[in-house]
Amino acid sequence: MIKWFSLGFWELIARIVLRNRILMLSIIAAITVFLALQWKNIHFTFTEANMLPDDNIANVEYNAFLDKFGEEGNLIIIGVKDSTFFTPKAYAAWSKLMNTIKKNQEVDLVVSLNDLKKLQKNEALEKFELVPFVDESKTLDPKYMQTIKKELFNDLPFYEGLLFNKRSGSVRSAIYMDKKIVNTKARKTFVLEKLIPAITTFEKETKIDLRVSGMPYIRTLNAKTITDEISIFIGASLLITSLLFFFFFRSFKATLISIVIVVIGVMWSFGFLGLFNYEITILTALVPSLIIVIGIPNCIFLTNKYHQEFKVHRNKAKALQRVTTKIGMATLMTNLTTAIGFATFVASNNNLLLEFGVVTSINIMALFFLSLLLIPIFHSYLNPPKERHLKHLDRGSVKKFMDWILRTIKTNRISIYVASVALLVFSIIGIYEMRISGSLIEDMPKKEAFFQDIVFFEKEFDGVMPLEIMIDTKRKKGVMKLSTLKRMEELETAIEEIPELSKPISIVNLVKYSKQAYYNGNPDYYELPTSQEQAFILSYAKNATANSKENLMKSYVDSTGQYARITTFMRDENGDQIAKIEAEIRKKADKLFPKERYNVIITGKALVFQKGTGYLLDNLLSSLIFAFFLTALLIGFMFRSFKMILVSIIPNLLPLFLTAGLMGFLDIPLKPSTILVFGIAFGLSVDDTLRFLSQYREELKKNNWKIKKSVYATFNESGLSMFYTSIVLFFGFSVFMLSSFGGTIALGGLISLTLLFGMLSNLMLLPALVLTLNKTLANEQEFIEPKIDIIEHSDEEIDSLTTDKK
């Protein structure tokens, strides 16, 4: 026991692991089985991402709107633009399609041409009645169908922009799903198993192409694409990283060991998702692939060290022990900084990012322990490496590249600094060209049919992204006061003058339609009633669809009559202008609605998304500063030197600036997906810094605190591993460019570029800075560490480490 405590910490770990191999494997197997049992708790998200914290004012106002009017994202629209649509055959198929959809219990209401209702005055009952617009007995007559078309486009302005586009002749149906199931699995079942097959049948019968959109439809197909891509990412990342591993080491057994380790890591990642009851989102779907991409470099680093040690003394047991004792701390620190990079998302106060940060950080540390335990254990059961497995240590092309870098560091450091400053200036110029994107659909799969359908509705109906204005009259039944309706009409007129927005829809439209109906459907009377007309016309309107499922009023006035809703739509391409649009509406609303009598809220999915992007951007800097601070603490703990903290941060700042600059020049906007790049890339890039400085710390002690000798020895010792791991990370993250989501493509491509820049920066700028900023002879007091007596063991003692306890 005394002997054990006389060992260094990592020597103690190596002894425990190698002397208790069966026990360690049993513990890992038990954890794997436990986490595999948690897979049953995994479920996919049925809501879209919300980047704002729950207590943010934009979220509070949006939730207040939902409390009054329910889920706004329950509308599915089916559109058509075809000259043959108003023919008996096409109409019959359309009517059949709509009736099929209407029969589903998931559907609350269908507003379509075949069962379109128009208001008709009933003088005897003093109310408006909803009567069928189409006489089904005449639909086989082509002339009647043309009459219907003419009447729809010319005499029913209430439905313009809602069901038809008068200019282009396009027509659409509105399908309102049951709000209770919009965010449940039933939505997915309805869209994939009922709606899409019915639409496919119509298209086959008529040869007419239908366009489908709406948030329930988009979210369902988005989720399906995410699910399909998880297996693609896992397979591609495992294939590419494994091939690279084999290319480096030329060993099937070593490659198989690394595959086993990352597969266990992937199993654990799914297990932690189930254990924490987290949903599979567009971010957490990336975690298994991230585990593979980050796990293989761990295996490379440890396997490379094993080969280096074995080449020196040809003793397998000693080499396996020294893998842990020599680079255990360096591997811990590098994994810790990577975990910190992801953990910074926890500080965002956003559930989506918090879950992503938590599960990724935990799995990265779990991977560290898996690698540290399994690589020595598995290799202890195998034969020692053969000569061909060690050739990579002296591979010609890689060695020439590394020798060139070392010569540049020794003889021409000034060129490294000049190049770094030039790249920094280039980056700053590019940063000034960066823009922020407010687009909701920019990251969606552009090759998918549903994206083309979104573009169709954007063009034909002036957008699909809802912007909502909720007006609180501060008294019950205040909405139906003529003075309130006139104020709303004036606000709607102002909204129509904003070119980025569509024609608004509200209770005002229904009241205007009521007056038109009162005057026998004459479209010239589509206007608000006068003060003399209001008493009888508004009473007709209130009774029009009382207690009816088809009550058009209930979507735009709450049950108390205190709250009204104005809905307009915005083209996605105008997402960048949403702050300006909100300001214009706010200015007009404040003028029309005195605050002592009204409260006006501007909200909607598009606005919440744009504010979420801004919130993420505001938090990016603070998250990065937090990551820098934690990294500085780690470096300070290792070296007790402020200069070394600067040396560690500068080489990792430059790649971030370069990436930001390229985003500006290539017109890649800041959006939720690209904002995440910087925190993730910093956490991964700083790994190489920690590996280099950890090894440098060891070399200083071995070389009597001589700076130059220690830096060159560190480069020879760790440079190759840094190169290998960075190449694997580069190609590993490039896998995400196989995605059909623009955000995932940008995430993978930008992180890959940043890591490539980071590798070059850490291989060239980092050692150059160490040589420049330190004296010829390091001050031993700056590198104080606890004194530990290290006992050198005989080969017989080391061989006994691989003998399991009986």
Side-chain angles (χ1 to χ4, degrees), residues 749-765:
L750 290 172
I751 289 178
S752 295
L753 276 177
T754 309
L755 293 176
L756 185 63
F757 296 147
M759 177 192 74
L760 295 173
S761 183
N762 280 300
L763 283 176
M764 302 183 77
L765 184 58

Side-chain angles (χ1 to χ4, degrees), residues 30-43 267-278:
I31 294 173
T32 304
V33 170
F34 170 75
L35 290 174
L37 293 174
Q38 307 306 312
W39 293 358
K40 64 180 182 293
N41 299 322
I42 295 175
H43 53 284
M267 294 173 69
W268 284 21
S269 70
F270 282 117
F272 281 118
L273 284 171
L275 181 65
F276 298 145
N277 204 31
Y278 286 168

Side-chain angles (χ1 to χ4, degrees), residues 327-552:
I327 63 170
M329 176 59 78
T331 310
L332 172 62
M333 297 294 275
T334 55
N335 281 270
L336 196 57
T337 52
T338 302
I340 286 171
F342 286 95
T344 55
F345 298 130
V346 175
S348 68
N349 196 24
N350 172 268
N351 286 335
L352 184 75
L353 293 176
L354 185 146
E355 292 177 5
F356 177 62
V358 166
V359 76
T360 309
S361 300
I362 290 175
N363 277 289
I364 286 170
M365 295 313 298
L367 258 181
F368 161 71
F369 289 108
L370 281 174
S371 304
L372 196 70
L373 296 178
L374 293 181
I375 285 182
I377 289 175
F378 284 157
H379 279 287
S380 70
Y381 286 110
L382 301 177
N383 293 324
K386 296 180 180 178
E387 201 59 42
R388 71 173 185 273
H389 300 147
L390 305 177
K391 285 183 178 179
H392 69 93
L393 298 172
D394 300 306
R395 190 167 291 144
S397 56
V398 176
K399 191 173 185 302
K400 287 179 182 178
F401 176 65
M402 301 303 287
D403 288 344
W404 172 79
I405 291 177
L406 188 57
R407 281 198 307 272
T408 306
I409 295 168
K410 287 180 178 180
T411 62
N412 197 13
R413 287 199 294 277
I414 190 67
S415 64
I416 296 176
Y417 297 140
V418 170
S420 299
V421 171
L423 289 173
L424 181 62
V425 172
F426 168 83
S427 303
I428 292 172
I429 295 171
I431 289 171
Y432 278 100
E433 300 294 323
M434 292 180 74
R435 62 182 178 88
I436 301 174
S437 171
S439 171
L440 262 172
I441 67 172
E442 186 173 21
D443 284 345
M444 289 184 182
K446 292 181 172 56
K447 294 180 181 179
E448 298 290 334
F450 74 85
F451 183 85
Q452 301 305 318
D453 290 350
I454 292 173
V455 174
F456 170 82
F457 287 107
E458 288 263 298
K459 178 182 177 182
E460 295 294 323
F461 294 93
D462 294 324
V464 294
M465 302 305 161
L467 191 63
E468 304 282 357
I469 298 120
M470 185 171 74
I471 300 166
D472 177 8
T473 63
K474 298 186 178 181
R475 54 179 173 170
K476 291 184 177 180
K477 300 183 180 179
V479 172
M480 298 305 289
K481 297 290 183 182
L482 187 58
S483 60
T484 301
L485 293 172
K486 287 183 176 179
R487 293 175 193 273
M488 291 177 63
E489 182 185 35
E490 195 171 342
L491 180 59
E492 289 184 17
T493 301
I495 291 173
E496 283 194 70
E497 292 173 356
I498 299 175
E500 294 88 355
L501 299 179
S502 69
K503 178 183 176 182
I505 306 167
S506 74
I507 186 64
V508 172
N509 301 70
L510 183 57
V511 174
K512 288 181 178 180
Y513 188 25
S514 299
K515 181 172 179 177
Q516 178 187 351
Y518 186 81
Y519 288 101
N520 301 315
N522 187 337
D524 293 337
Y525 287 94
Y526 184 73
E527 61 187 11
L528 285 177
T530 63
S531 56
Q532 290 80 17
E533 297 168 329
Q534 65 170 320
F536 52 90
I537 289 181
L538 292 183
S539 66
Y540 271 56
K542 290 175 184 176
N543 295 328
T545 53
N547 302 318
S548 169
K549 186 178 181 181
E550 297 173 328
N551 189 346
L552 298 175

